[in-house]
Amino acid sequence: MSGFLQHTFNGLVGGAFYALLALGLAVIFGMLRVVNFAHGAFYMLGAFGAYVLLTEVGVPFWGALVIVPAALGLLGMALERAFIHRLTRLDPLYNFLFTFGLTLILQDLVRSRYGVQSSPYTTPAGLQGSVDFGLFTFPTYRVFVLGFAILACLGVWWLLTHTRIGMVVRAATERPELTRAFGIDVGRWVTPVFGFGIALAGAAGVLAAPMRAVNPLMGADLIIVVFAVVVIGGLGSIFGSVAAGFGIGLIQAWGEAYLSETAPILAQTLVFIVMAVVLLWRPAGLFGREEAPA
Amino acid sequence: MRRTTGLAAVSAAALLITGCGGGGPQSSADSKLTDDKIVLGVLNDQSGVYSELSGRNSVKAVEMAIADFKAKHGASVITDNISVESADHQNKPDIANNRAAELYDRRSADVIFDVPTSSAALKVADVAKAKQKLYFNITGATTELTGKACNKYTFHYAYDTYMLANGTGRTVTEQGAKNWYIVYPDYAFGQDMERSFSAAVQQAGGTIVGKDPTPFPNDNFSTFLLKAPTLDPKPDVLGTMQAGADLVNLVKQYNEFKLREKGVGLSVGLMFLTDIHSLTPAALAGTTYTDAWYWNFDQRNREFADRFQQVTGTRPTFAHAANYSAALQYLEAVQAVGTDDADQVVAHLEGKTIDDVFLRNGKIRAEDHRVIHDAYLAEVKPAAEVTEEWDYVKILKTIPAEQAFASPSADCTM
């Protein structure tokens, strides 16, 4: 029983990363109708940001958790203004290509400066121990990561449901043309929302630095699963992305724990099997809606 | 009909003209070298995951070998015209195949060195066989190079999966860690390593209490790390066959879950000096693994490492030292037989015993072209004992050449 609880808790921690990244993708897609292929690269930049701040400036983890997402958010806003904005009116393929190309450029820039070997980053001093939950103990840092992700998701939910900005974003996500017809300047909110999505990816990257290998390709491997999460949750569905993020984390952890020895292939492909089944059953994802005809 | 004959005559004439006119300077009468020169090819990963453990610094190691070779032989050197050609195979078998053919044919390489990634390494062995040119594999791990896929022109230097498993698996088990939990990446290298390790552990009287394949690549090993201490009987040691970034992920998380404090030690299947550097020795303190060569093992290695550092700014991994050694031994063989004719060089190398900075008690086995030499069981020092950058391990035991490698495989027919 304690084993099962432990694996469940662990799955939620893994899911926390998926949820933070999928949430960013969902708000960006909702507002801009852009699938941001560069999301994994921004996650990687988040981790490298933490590493550079620590080794070259001496800013510890906590400082990085504030500075890096803010800086990446601004970078995201600049990129939206300079490039993505100009491409949204064209075929969606142009933004696919742009964000994909951006990923390659960012990866290679980091690679040329820091190499391919992973850069060291240690767990912040205050979070190195373990928390005793009675039935099992768990590394404090992982408990913190889970808490952070849940707070971030709740924070976004509150913003969306209790503020005027949130209302505009929700309305623009559901029916952009109709929202404009009511005289609301949707365009004004596009850039900050894009920056916010990127900032979430940056925060996930900072959180990953102490527990994962910090290298230029760290985002490229992760983002494949995150796209599966977004598809399962329903593209553009904010609640769906979070629920699917944690759900996939759980499914992955249970699969690895109980299927690795008997059916390793199944354990490793479980996420994509779930995705295929969901798509067959509900092509728009669990919480997504069929796009209204334009 | 007349037309075709006419065409044939014209092309024959053209061939004759280019044959005479384009033949370049005539070879001097006494030189037995093709094109009057020796070209050493280095084919490896120059920008990806294996670029730091070998990569461009291996090209520099080969250049060092050329300089040392020329300095040693002075005026009697077979030729002054020795150069290096390098190419990036991006760890992809198809690219390795094309680049190897290009090196041999268009860039006139007499020999190819290095070639990490087993699948790519095996492709190049086929090319070497077809072109009848020499090939010294350094960083490929698969024992197939000296098994099923062995051939007259291919030599396997440095290490292989048997050496790693036998060195670490057997020695650690004999030292008292009887129960093993093995995790391995689920692709050819990992599966091969798992089989070799399990066999070595069991032969030494140990037990595999659990083994799990993991996705590749993977950034989250927490499930397996949670599982490790709950196995019955509890494993004494976690054997990881992960490499590169996967290894970094696993070790970081091993420390996070405090498995060493829970009585589960760590043994790594394959690790390079660059891996320890990027994880920091503190994260790996107490971890055992098998090393093919260590730069600070003795004065002779250290002198080489000092010179290498002057050229590259960093300390050599065993891959760098092995590339240096292989290039040097190839050049010495050409000097000895007086020609770069591949068959004569092979005949000279087969069965040769060698002692150089990399090969201790080295011997090139004629049966399967496995280059055997002493290997080392290494342990990462605790952070407090690290007094010099890059000096991260202590050698616990030298494994004699004859025991370090498997006896020649019955699968190999030259």
Side-chain angles (χ1 to χ4, degrees), chain B residues 89 91-93 96-97 115-125 135 137:
Chain B
H89 75 343
N91 299 319
K92 295 188 178 118
N97 187 60
V115 197
T117 309
S118 291
S119 48
L122 289 166
K123 282 277 184 207
V124 177
Y135 166 40
N137 182 277

Side-chain angles (χ1 to χ4, degrees), chain B residues 155-172:
Chain B
F155 294 85
H156 198 189
Y157 237 73
Y159 78 117
D160 58 33
T161 51
Y162 177 89
M163 181 204 99
L164 299 170
N166 183 58
T168 314
R170 194 165 86 180
T171 322
V172 172

Side-chain angles (χ1 to χ4, degrees), chain A residues 150-213:
Chain A
I150 290 173
L151 282 182
C153 294
L154 286 176
V156 171
W157 173 78
W158 187 85
L159 275 177
L160 286 172
T161 49
H162 287 75
T163 65
R164 188 177 153 71
I165 310 168
M167 242 153 39
V168 173
V169 170
R170 276 188 299 147
T173 303
E174 299 274 327
R175 291 280 187 281
E177 298 307 321
L178 198 61
T179 314
R180 279 197 189 90
F182 278 112
I184 293 165
D185 185 2
V186 174
R188 238 178 88 196
W189 297 105
V190 164
T191 310
V193 165
F194 187 81
F196 179 73
I198 299 299
L200 282 176
V206 176
L207 290 175
M211 55 190 268
R212 292 184 177 173

Side-chain angles (χ1 to χ4, degrees), chain A residues 10 118 209 211-213 261, chain B residues 52 222 227 249 252-253 278:
Chain A
N10 188 43
S118 304
M211 55 190 268
R212 292 184 177 173
E261 254 164 305
Chain B
E52 281 175 50
S222 45
K227 187 176 161 183
N249 276 310
K252 270 190 170 180
Q253 292 158 21
S278 79

Side-chain angles (χ1 to χ4, degrees), chain A residues 6-7 10 14 43 111 114-121 123 128-130 137-139 141-142 208-215 217-218 221-222 252-253 256-257 260-261 264-265 268, chain B residues 47-53 186 209-220 222-224 226-227 230-231 244-246 248-249 252-253 256-258 262 274-275 277-280:
Chain A
Q6 218 170 4
H7 289 306
N10 188 43
Y43 162 81
R111 190 198 331 245
Y114 297 100
V116 293
Q117 283 283 337
S118 304
S119 307
Y121 197 91
T123 312
Q128 279 175 352
S130 300
T137 60
F138 218 76
Y141 184 73
R142 288 185 179 241
M211 55 190 268
R212 292 184 177 173
V214 181
N215 69 52
L217 294 176
M218 62 187 290
D221 301 332
L222 184 67
Q252 238 182 1
E256 280 177 352
S260 273
E261 254 164 305
I265 305 286
Q268 289 162 29
Chain B
S47 55
V49 286
Y50 302 135
S51 58
E52 281 175 50
L53 62 89
D186 206 1
V209 297
K211 58 183 176 191
D212 277 316
T214 67
F216 172 78
N218 187 23
D219 57 9
N220 186 1
S222 45
T223 309
F224 309 104
L226 282 171
K227 187 176 161 183
T230 66
L231 289 167
D246 278 20
V248 174
N249 276 310
K252 270 190 170 180
Q253 292 158 21
E256 225 191 321
F257 283 96
K258 307 212 180 306
K262 292 179 185 161
T274 39
D275 294 319
H277 185 70
S278 79
L279 271 162
T280 72

Side-chain angles (χ1 to χ4, degrees), chain A residues 16-49:
Chain A
F17 284 95
Y18 299 147
L20 282 177
L21 288 166
L23 180 60
L25 277 178
V27 294
I28 289 173
F29 182 82
M31 200 70 178
L32 284 80
R33 289 291 181 272
V34 167
V35 177
N36 178 26
F37 271 102
H39 219 63
F42 285 104
Y43 162 81
M44 178 272 291
L45 284 184
F48 265 96

